[in-house]
Every structure is written in structure tokens, then in C-alpha cells.
Amino acid sequence: MTSFLLKRLLALVPVLLGASFIVFSIMHLTPGDPAVLLLPQDASAEDIAVMRESLGLNRPFLVQYGSFLQGILRGDLGTSFRSGQPVAGLIMSRLPATMQLATASLIVAIIIGLVAGIVAAVRQYTLWDGGAMVTALLGVSMPNFWLGLMLILFFSVFWAGRFGSVLLPASGYGTIQHMIMPAIVLGTAHAAFVTRITRSSMLEVLRQDYIRMARAKGLSPFRVVAIHALRNALLPVVTIVGLRFGVLLGGSVVTERIFAWPGIGRLLIDAVRAQDYAVVQGIILTYAIIFSLVTLGVDLIYGLVDPRIRSQYR
């Protein structure tokens, strides 16, 4: 297990280096000059040159990238051009909100996806199966921003007009009520993927000989599905759930904007608009680290689900 972890952790190094270089390159190739944005419109060329020098933007590209990597090794992601605050501090102040929303959304996706996928597989070619697949298709096709606006109109605007008070707050952060609508918006889209993978995996397992044997021995349908079939069908589900969590962290930008959720998604949008290179680079690097760790966690969970894989860790 120890050697496996070391190998995987070492494999993350080139991935993170590549991600940091790509993001650093894209931000510096983006049209516009942060120095110009930070100064008044009537700033002179001399003022702009002084500002660029103070921000370190006048140095060669590779020198800037090298300084960025040295800062990462010290735990320093740089300083925001806009606010002058440490980037690491800005990210850490917003990261808990994004993690909470991603976790709640993943729970919604797992509950809906597993139940719908199992029912669709057990009731194959019935109305249950067709309804689950149509719902999954709608979940994949429905834009997050549209669903978010519809939920706000119904649970906040319409409900307040009809009953005199909102059922769920349209924006904000701090309570479970604030989290319900954003979690539903993000969770339903990802529940569609979980439903399709669960159904496909369950159908494959239910056709196996040991499932027929379990049924022939007189075991109850619930025991056959829940104990014998589901555990063996979970491996691809674990994969998609792990990847969905990484996508949820990076894909919550629009949802955070709609519901005024104070996560790093909103911080990323504001930083891109202001061409705040340091903040954008720090956020993308944080996404890459979390996604890589999630992938490593999925590999470790494989061993818990399937003992045959566990032997490869030794």
C-alpha cells in the first residue's frame, strides 16, 4: 500500500507541473494588460510601465514562471493584483463553501442516480426503466442556469407572492436552506450520469451465473439485488462518482454565480474579468490538486469494493 501511494503521488508531480504551465501560458497570452486595468484611464505610458515593473510583468515569461514555481514550493501562490491579498488566503476563505456545495450535490446525485439506476435495471423494458432513462436524458440536457432560475422563480418569487414568504432563499450562504436549491441544480445533472452507469453495470451483473444461482437457491429479490448484485456493480459507479466530484468542484462556477454562493467559482470569474493572473493560476492549480487527489482516493476505494484489486496494492 505504501509503495502504491508513493508511486501515485510521484505521478501527480508532472500532472501538476503541466497544469500550472498551461494555465500560466494561457493567462499571459490573453489579450489585455492588468497594469492598464489597475490604473486610471488617463494614466500615462510611464505610469503603466512603472506598474508593470512593480507587478513583475516586465520580466521574461520563463523567469516569471520560475518565480511562480518557487513560490508554490514555499506554499506561496502569489499576491492578488487587484486586492493585494495573498492568493492562498483568498482561496482558503472560499474553498469551504465550494466543498460544502460539491459534497451536498454529490449526495443528491448518488441518491437519485443509484435508486433510479437500480430500479431501471431490475425493471428493464418497463415504464420504470423508460421513465428513468428519459429523466436521465433531461438531466443531462437541461442547462444549469435555466434550472436554477426556474427553482428561484418557483420557490422564492412565486411562493412569496402566493403565501407571503419564500420557501427557500434565492441567494446567500450559511444555512441548509441556502444550500438546497444549488445542490439540486448541480446534483440532478450529475445524477443522470450515475443513473446510466448504474443501470448499465447492474444489467451486466444481473446476467451473471452466480446471480441465477442465488435466485435458484430461493434468496429474496432484495437480497439478490442489494447484497450480491449491487456490490459487484459498484466499481464503475465509484469511478464515475469520483470523477463527478472533481467536475462538481470546477463546474459550479455558473451555479455559484446564480445563487450568490461565496465559493471559489465566483472568485474565479471575478479574477478572470480583472485579469488577475495570480488568483486565476492559484485557483486552477487548486482544482488540479483536488481532482488528482480525488482520483487517487477512487483508486484506494477500488480495493474496498473489490478484494481482487486490493492485492495489487501489496
Side-chain angles (χ1 to χ4, degrees):
M1 176 68 77
T2 303
S3 60
F4 171 79
L5 284 174
L6 288 175
K7 290 179 181 178
R8 290 305 308 270
L9 290 174
L10 289 175
L12 296 182
V13 175
V15 173
L16 297 179
L17 281 174
S20 65
F21 183 78
I22 292 173
V23 174
F24 197 88
S25 302
I26 292 176
M27 289 306 302
H28 282 71
L29 292 174
T30 302
D33 191 340
V36 175
L37 296 176
L38 293 174
L39 291 172
Q41 294 183 356
D42 58 350
S44 64
E46 292 76 10
D47 294 333
I48 296 175
V50 172
M51 177 62 73
R52 286 181 58 82
E53 184 176 358
S54 65
L55 296 176
L57 298 176
N58 61 331
R59 296 179 297 170
F61 170 79
L62 292 179
V63 174
Q64 294 183 49
Y65 179 65
S67 299
F68 176 63
L69 290 181
Q70 291 178 5
I72 292 176
L73 295 177
R74 299 192 304 267
D76 180 13
L77 296 178
T79 303
S80 170
F81 296 164
R82 175 67 62 175
S83 65
Q85 300 179 16
V87 173
L90 289 173
I91 294 175
M92 292 307 298
S93 66
R94 301 289 192 98
L95 186 59
T98 296
M99 294 294 289
Q100 290 174 18
L101 180 57
T103 302
S105 303
L106 189 65
I107 292 173
V108 172
I110 291 174
I111 293 175
I112 296 175
L114 277 180
V115 173
I118 292 171
V119 171
V122 174
R123 304 291 184 183
Q124 187 181 18
Y125 303 132
T126 65
L127 288 177
W128 291 97
D129 186 17
M133 290 300 97
V134 170
T135 303
L137 180 61
L138 289 175
V140 173
S141 306
M142 191 180 304
N144 284 353
F145 67 87
W146 183 86
L147 179 58
L149 293 176
M150 292 302 101
L151 292 179
I152 290 174
L153 284 174
F154 182 78
F155 290 109
S156 298
V157 179
F158 170 77
W159 200 276
R162 183 68 176 83
F163 300 103
S165 62
V166 299
L167 180 62
L168 294 173
S171 61
Y173 168 74
T175 66
I176 295 178
Q177 286 77 14
H178 288 98
M179 189 183 295
I180 291 176
M181 284 198 291
I184 291 175
V185 169
L186 285 174
T188 49
H190 296 277
F193 292 97
V194 178
T195 299
R196 296 172 64 183
I197 294 298
T198 302
R199 178 184 181 273
S200 177
S201 182
M202 283 291 295
L203 286 175
E204 183 177 351
V205 171
L206 289 173
R207 298 189 183 102
Q208 300 299 316
D209 292 337
Y210 65 88
I211 297 296
R212 298 191 185 96
M213 179 65 70
R215 288 171 173 167
K217 291 171 61 177
L219 297 179
S220 65
F222 175 81
R223 186 177 179 84
V224 171
V225 172
I227 297 180
H228 294 277
L230 181 58
R231 181 171 182 177
N232 291 285
L234 277 181
L235 202 59
V237 178
V238 169
T239 303
I240 196 67
V241 167
L243 295 177
R244 289 294 103 187
F245 184 72
V247 173
L248 279 168
L249 290 173
S252 60
V253 175
V254 175
T255 303
E256 288 184 4
R257 195 70 179 179
I258 292 174
F259 292 98
W261 192 264
I264 55 179
R266 288 185 63 195
L267 181 64
L268 178 61
I269 291 178
D270 296 337
V272 170
R273 287 179 174 176
Q275 290 189 323
D276 198 338
Y277 294 165
V279 176
V280 175
Q281 291 160 184
I283 292 175
I284 300 301
L285 186 62
T286 301
Y287 280 145
I289 292 173
I290 295 176
F291 196 89
S292 300
L293 293 178
V294 168
T295 305
L296 175 60
V298 169
D299 289 343
L300 296 178
I301 293 174
Y302 281 173
L304 300 177
V305 176
D306 192 340
R308 294 171 299 178
I309 298 178
R310 191 183 313 160
S311 62
Q312 300 177 10
Y313 299 163
R314 298 170 183 171

